[in-house]
Structure formats: structure tokens, C-alpha cells
Amino acid sequence: MNIRPIKPKDNQVIKHILQTDLKHFGLDIPGTAYFDSNLDKLNEFYDAQDNRAYFVVENDQGKVVGGAGCAEFDLDNGIAELQKIYLDSSAQGFGLSYRLIALVEDFAKKAGYKQLYLETHHNLKAAIHVYIKSGYQKLAGPIKNSDHSGAMDGFFIKTL
């Protein structure tokens, strides 16, 4: 498996993986990343600023099978958001989520962030397990309102 920064050709693949996964868990609803306006141009969104990044995973045949990224969330407090960490079912169970999270955390730290925050849903049990095992602490609620705070019910943060 190879992990690299997102390219324009990856946008539709990541969109498909994300939407397939969310639909599988009944989260193809307003307020989730399923309807994120940046899905068709993820590379442009993440490349627009030096304090954002998105990484994709390619399998041994060079096919993109997932990704994860981060972008600013609360700049005044040095907080970035871990975003859009999704893997195709063919790539699950190989520890790739942990590798992606570690890479995003390393990027976030180098970009000057002090913490990484994330919003998730209780239906995403495997993801929550990964977040907790990766050292994220559960919060009682969102640290501030976001586009997804209304649909999400799990909030986590990690000091870098």
C-alpha cells in the first residue's frame, strides 16, 4: 500500500468511497459529509492552504482505496479537524486507518496545530474504536458548531 497526497483524479474515487460507506450505515442524510459541497473538488480544497492536507491510500495495483485529511477548525485555539477518513471495504482490516491518522497527526503538528478534533456518529463503531485506540478523548458535545455538528453525535479530541 502506498500513501500519497490527493490529486485531482482522486476526487471522484474518494467521493464514491465516502458516500458508499455513509449510505451503508444509514448516514446518507443532510448534515453529514455525504452532502459536503467540496466532494467534487477535494484536492482543490485541501491544496488551497498550507495548513490543510488530504492523503489517499493506493493498493498494490495503484487503485485508490481510501484517504484521510485535516483542515483548520478553530484557528484561535490551534485546533484542526480530522476529516473524511474512509476506506473501501477491500482495504479494511489492514491497519490503514491507524497509518492515515498518524500521517495526518504528523502533518497537523508540523502545520502548527495543537489539537485534532473530530465528529462522528455512533453507527460508525469501528471508526470510534480506532479513534479511541489512537488516543482521542470523547467529549460531551461539539467544541463549536460546524456543518456536521447537528447530524453527528460523537465528538473527540487529541492533543498533539
Side-chain angles (χ1 to χ4, degrees), residues 1-127:
M1 299 280 183
N2 178 46
I3 300 177
R4 61 166 174 77
I6 193 169
K7 297 177 183 174
K9 67 178 183 172
D10 305 323
N11 291 338
Q12 293 305 311
V13 177
I14 293 298
K15 178 181 179 178
H16 175 74
I17 292 168
L18 179 152
Q19 288 183 330
T20 299
D21 199 44
L22 287 173
K23 187 171 189 165
H24 174 77
F25 288 100
L27 294 171
D28 52 337
I29 57 173
T32 67
Y34 190 94
F35 292 104
D36 192 321
S37 62
N38 290 313
L39 288 181
D40 290 317
K41 53 186 176 29
L42 283 177
N43 73 297
E44 291 177 26
F45 174 78
Y46 288 100
D47 289 347
Q49 294 180 200
D50 291 341
N51 61 348
R52 297 177 184 166
Y54 195 88
F55 302 96
V56 297
V57 180
E58 294 176 322
N59 65 16
D60 294 337
Q61 292 76 40
K63 178 184 175 194
V64 171
V65 294
C70 76
E72 69 282 355
F73 187 78
D74 182 349
L75 283 175
D76 292 338
N77 292 303
I79 302 172
E81 183 179 24
L82 178 63
Q83 299 177 332
K84 296 173 183 62
I85 179 164
Y86 291 94
L87 292 171
D88 182 78
S89 59
S90 69
Q92 295 173 4
F94 299 102
L96 292 171
S97 294
Y98 298 102
R99 287 180 54 195
L100 282 167
I101 289 171
L103 186 61
V104 170
E105 289 174 352
D106 185 54
F107 170 84
K109 189 183 283 190
K110 288 177 182 171
Y113 294 112
K114 296 180 177 101
Q115 294 180 301
L116 262 179
Y117 169 76
L118 68 92
E119 297 178 341
T120 190
H121 192 275
H122 70 270
N123 285 358
L124 305 173
K125 292 178 184 7

